[in-house]
Amino acid sequence: MSRIIPDAVPSTQALPAKVDVVVIGGGIVGVSTALELAERGVSVAVCEKGLVAGEQSGRNWGWVRQMGRDPSELPLAIESLSLWKGMNARTGEETGFRQTGIAYLCRNARQEAEYEAWLVHARDFGLDSRLLRSEELGQHLPGMTGGFTAALHTSTDGRAEPFKAAPAIARGAIRAGAHVMTGCAVRSIERSGGAVSGVITERGRIACSSVVLAGGAWSRLFSGNMGIDFPQLKILGSVARATSVEGVPELPVGADNFSFRRRLDGSFSIAMRNANIAPIVPDSFRLFADFVPTLIKSWRELKLRVGNRFIEEWRTPSSWAPDEITPFEQVRILDPVPFERFNREGLAHLVKAFPAFAESRITQSWAGLIDVTPDAVPVISPVGGIPGFFISSGFSGHGFGIGPGAGKLMADIVTGARPCVDPAPFRFDRFKKTKAA
């Protein structure tokens, strides 16, 4: 295992006295929001407790897909793809985006039927997704052995580099006028007459009229200190880097027990698909009723596990004063230990499907904590009862691909512009979780 180090982002040294909007969190959603706001002439500051893309935004698979999305997310995925295609030119940076297509492999008629059912939604939205069969499989998926009956393929999907993309967008936001401060945790939000009037950071106060919480896996803890019960749990996903091989597809490929994506340097990010760890923590019991439907639906994909995280979260303070050191300063970056068995098994399954990977070796492994909601759809929304406070979190493993679109939608909501997509599926009050502050 080795630590993930994203590309560097220069940190604003002087804390601005006042901005229009403070964004809490320097993941892809937070910096995409800042880029959108800055380009519209809105003064904005991003406060990141650690590094830009230091957590899940730099640790994910790097897929940019519309394929397989929940129908409520599809418009946002389509919008995001449009933004990804122009992101290198827009920011003047290399995000690693390449429009290679993506394929999901089918082993049997049951899997084909599941994808056929999803294709109804794809046709409703005009996507180019379709099932490949017979000789088309070999044309699009060179080097693949038998055992697969079909593949769901979307040629307009693509891939990007997690450790490059969010930092590139952050640097683009800086050039557009945004302040981006790393190593600067927000401790609390100030209110005047019930509405947002500023934030208190570990380095001082910033006056503002709006705050966007884009804190990923930390969002429930932060909002809980404000009296907001945001239903969010964490899932551990493990990934590995494997050495380069030739004679395999350029597009990301997923099957029921493996996935791979070629990286810019020729190596691969690989994982065992549909295999994640669900750590048992105190919130698992508090939110049990909220997540029961998801557990029933996804039990094959999750491995429940009790470990050190239960004790860590049990000991983590759930409330603090603005002048106290917070959990965000005590743990700057969540850097969990990967579940190495999943990575090894993922590579073994991959070798059976694409024998060329027999020459590949794992050189690095890592893990990230994915923030999930009960319905696996994010919140991108104002929070009732606190004028000027917004949440953009709970992306449930989809945040990297739809991050640019989420940033645009959040900027629309904050500024009162016409939303780029219907925001209704992402409203916070669908959970009815606000407590009296």
Side-chain angles (χ1 to χ4, degrees):
M1 183 181 74
S2 57
R3 194 179 186 91
I4 293 294
I5 302 176
D7 282 2
V9 175
S11 179
T12 303
Q13 296 303 309
L15 203 71
K18 182 179 181 180
V19 294
D20 297 318
V21 183
V22 170
V23 176
I24 302 172
I28 193 163
V29 173
V31 298
S32 294
T33 302
L35 175 63
E36 287 284 343
L37 290 169
E39 288 181 339
R40 300 180 195 191
V42 177
S43 60
V44 57
V46 176
C47 294
E48 164 54 49
K49 62 182 174 51
L51 299 173
V52 169
E55 295 180 334
Q56 187 57 19
S57 288
R59 296 162 183 259
N60 59 83
W61 292 4
W63 292 27
V64 177
R65 66 177 172 89
Q66 307 156 103
M67 192 171 71
R69 295 291 188 202
D70 185 286
S72 63
E73 278 188 1
L74 267 174
L76 195 58
I78 294 167
E79 179 69 29
S80 291
L81 179 67
S82 175
L83 295 169
W84 274 111
K85 288 191 287 187
M87 194 62 74
N88 283 7
R90 180 181 178 187
T91 63
E93 300 274 353
E94 175 61 82
T95 64
F97 178 74
R98 303 291 186 271
Q99 199 165 18
T100 56
I102 290 177
Y104 283 163
L105 305 180
C106 305
R107 292 186 190 274
N108 49 51
R110 178 184 60 79
Q111 292 177 353
E112 287 188 42
E114 291 174 358
Y115 291 142
E116 286 279 16
W118 181 83
L119 281 171
V120 173
H121 305 300
R123 287 190 285 270
D124 288 343
F125 288 95
L127 298 186
D128 64 337
S129 304
R130 63 192 186 93
L131 277 178
L132 306 177
R133 291 188 172 90
S134 60
E135 63 271 7
E136 282 192 304
L137 284 174
Q139 293 169 8
H140 287 84
L141 299 162
M144 187 176 71
T145 60
F148 298 100
T149 60
L152 180 64
H153 178 249
T154 305
S155 64
T156 50
D157 283 347
R159 68 191 196 208
E161 290 295 343
F163 71 98
K164 284 183 171 294
I169 295 169
R171 292 190 294 266
I174 291 170
R175 282 192 286 273
H179 305 274
V180 176
M181 289 156 291
T182 55
C184 183
V186 173
R187 292 178 169 177
S188 65
I189 292 176
E190 264 190 356
R191 288 183 253 180
S192 179
V196 168
S197 58
V199 299
I200 305 300
T201 79
E202 62 181 295
R203 289 163 52 184
R205 178 180 184 270
I206 305 174
C208 63
S209 56
S210 297
V211 169
V212 175
L213 175 59
W218 296 92
S219 294
R220 174 170 168 80
L221 184 62
F222 187 94
S223 57
N225 191 50
M226 299 174 62
I228 300 167
D229 191 2
F230 178 27
Q232 178 192 63
L233 290 176
K234 307 179 190 73
I235 299 296
L236 180 79
S238 298
V239 189
R241 183 196 295 246
T243 54
S244 178
V245 297
E246 298 302 323
V248 298
E250 285 296 312
L251 73 165
V253 175
D256 51 4
N257 57 10
F258 70 83
S259 71
F260 68 88
R261 171 188 64 87
R262 190 183 290 275
R263 302 164 67 99
L264 281 184
D265 65 1
S267 65
F268 290 85
S269 287
I270 66 166
M272 190 157 95
R273 190 164 171 245
N274 299 325
N276 294 299
I277 301 292
I280 302 296
V281 296
D283 275 342
S284 303
F285 300 96
R286 299 182 186 115
L287 298 172
F288 181 76
D290 300 87
F291 280 87
V292 161
T294 300
L295 288 172
I296 293 173
K297 180 181 178 182
S298 306
W299 66 271
R300 290 185 180 88
E301 302 173 14
L302 296 173
K303 183 180 289 292
L304 303 179
R305 185 169 293 266
V306 178
N308 292 336
R309 181 146 295 279
F310 186 97
I311 301 300
E312 291 170 6
E313 296 201 11
W314 181 269
R315 292 174 175 171
T316 300
S318 59
S319 63
W320 51 86
D323 60 351
E324 292 180 323
I325 293 175
T326 66
F328 317 115
E329 296 152 78
Q330 294 169 334
V331 180
R332 297 285 179 177
I333 295 176
L334 288 169
D335 191 23
V337 176
F339 196 63
E340 298 288 5
R341 180 166 67 83
F342 281 172
N343 289 335
R344 292 194 301 270
E345 291 180 2
L347 179 57
H349 295 313
L350 176 54
V351 169
K352 290 179 182 177
F354 291 89
F357 278 100
E359 303 300 319
S360 187
R361 297 291 179 268
I362 291 176
T363 60
Q364 183 184 20
S365 61
W366 62 90
L369 286 170
I370 302 165
D371 53 318
V372 298
T373 62
D375 58 7
V377 173
V379 168
I380 308 170
S381 170
V383 178
I386 308 178
F389 182 62
F390 307 83
I391 291 179
S392 190
S393 193
F395 281 82
S396 305
H398 311 162
F400 184 74
I402 63 175
K408 184 175 182 179
L409 177 59
M410 190 79 266
D412 292 340
I413 293 170
V414 170
T415 60
R418 182 179 179 180
C420 59
V421 300
D422 181 6
F426 313 111
R427 67 192 189 282
F428 176 79
D429 64 10
R430 73 185 190 268
F431 299 122
K432 303 185 184 303
K433 281 283 183 178
T434 304
K435 301 187 296 187

